[in-house]
Amino acid sequence: MYVSMRQGNNKEVKKIKKVFALAWGISPLYIILLIMNSLIGTYECKVDTKGRLPIPVGLKKQLAECLEDGFVLKRSVFQNCLELHPMKEWEKVMNDLNKLNRFVKKNNDFIRIFTAGLKIVEVDANGRLQISKDLVKFAEINKEVVLNSSVNMIEIWDKDKYEESINVDDLDFASLAEDVMGNLGEDE
C-alpha cells in the first residue's frame, strides 16, 4: 500500500513515520524535517588548508536522505558566501532555468553567470565536503566557517563575514520583516 508521507494527520502516516524513525535510529523530528524539505540550524566549524569542510552531526542527520545523491556547491547571487544545494533541490532550480528562452540574450547571460563555478560535491568517508580553491577565494573563507541553514539549502560563510551579514545595527530588521512577510497571507 502506497501512502503519501505528506498527508496531514492520517494515523497510518504517523505510524509509518514512527516505524521509519525507530528503524533508522532517527528522531521523529528529523523525519518531519526531511518531509518538509527544510533545514534548521546554524553550525560553526573549521575548514582545513586543503578546503575540506566537516559536516556537523546535527546537519548530517538532516541531510541523511541527500548524502547519497550528492550536492551542488555554487556562489551566492546576493551574498559573499557559498550555497550548498542538495541534488534534488538543485534539480528544481535547473527545471526553472530550463524554462528560460536561451535566444533572449539577458536570459543566456543570466544562466552563464548564475551557473559559473558550479561544482558537484559529495561527502567523503570522513564526513567532509571538498571546497575548491576558486570558491574558497570567492567567499573569502579562512579557517573558521559558519554553515547556515536557509530553508532548502545551506549557506557556507567565512565566520567574520557571516557576523557582519547578520549585524542588525546596519539594517532595520523589523521593517524588513514587515516588507517581506507582512503581506504573505493576502494572496490567498
Side-chain angles (χ1 to χ4, degrees), residues 86-154:
M87 192 59 73
K88 288 180 183 174
E89 293 298 325
W90 182 252
E91 288 169 0
K92 294 174 188 176
V93 172
M94 290 307 296
N95 284 335
D96 289 341
L97 279 181
N98 285 329
K99 294 174 186 172
L100 297 175
N101 183 345
R102 297 292 301 252
F103 288 99
V104 175
K105 184 180 180 333
K106 69 179 178 180
N107 291 354
N108 212 27
D109 292 344
F110 171 78
I111 292 168
R112 182 182 320 102
I113 295 167
F114 182 76
T115 59
L118 286 181
K119 306 284 189 271
I120 295 176
V121 294
E122 295 179 353
V123 176
D124 70 13
N126 294 319
R128 303 173 299 191
L129 284 175
Q130 179 70 48
I131 303 175
S132 64
K133 288 181 182 181
D134 63 317
L135 293 178
V136 168
K137 184 178 179 181
F138 169 82
E140 300 175 25
I141 292 175
N142 292 306
K143 190 172 183 116
E144 294 188 31
V145 175
V146 172
L147 302 177
N148 181 54
S149 305
S150 186
V151 185
N152 61 353
M153 58 113 170
I154 300 159

Side-chain angles (χ1 to χ4, degrees), residues 161-173:
K161 298 262 182 236
Y162 177 75
E163 294 298 330
E164 289 172 22
S165 77
I166 61 169
N167 183 355
V168 292
D169 293 341
D170 298 339
L171 179 68
D172 181 359
F173 186 69

Side-chain angles (χ1 to χ4, degrees), residues 51-110:
R52 294 177 297 202
L53 176 68
I55 303 298
V57 173
L59 192 54
K60 198 183 304 181
K61 285 180 181 179
Q62 292 180 63
L63 294 170
E65 181 182 276
C66 309
L67 291 176
E68 204 171 290
D69 296 332
F71 302 88
V72 170
L73 185 61
K74 68 175 288 302
R75 301 172 188 174
S76 175
V77 173
F78 300 108
Q79 301 291 336
N80 199 27
C81 69
L82 304 176
E83 296 174 354
L84 183 67
H85 296 262
M87 192 59 73
K88 288 180 183 174
E89 293 298 325
W90 182 252
E91 288 169 0
K92 294 174 188 176
V93 172
M94 290 307 296
N95 284 335
D96 289 341
L97 279 181
N98 285 329
K99 294 174 186 172
L100 297 175
N101 183 345
R102 297 292 301 252
F103 288 99
V104 175
K105 184 180 180 333
K106 69 179 178 180
N107 291 354
N108 212 27
D109 292 344
F110 171 78

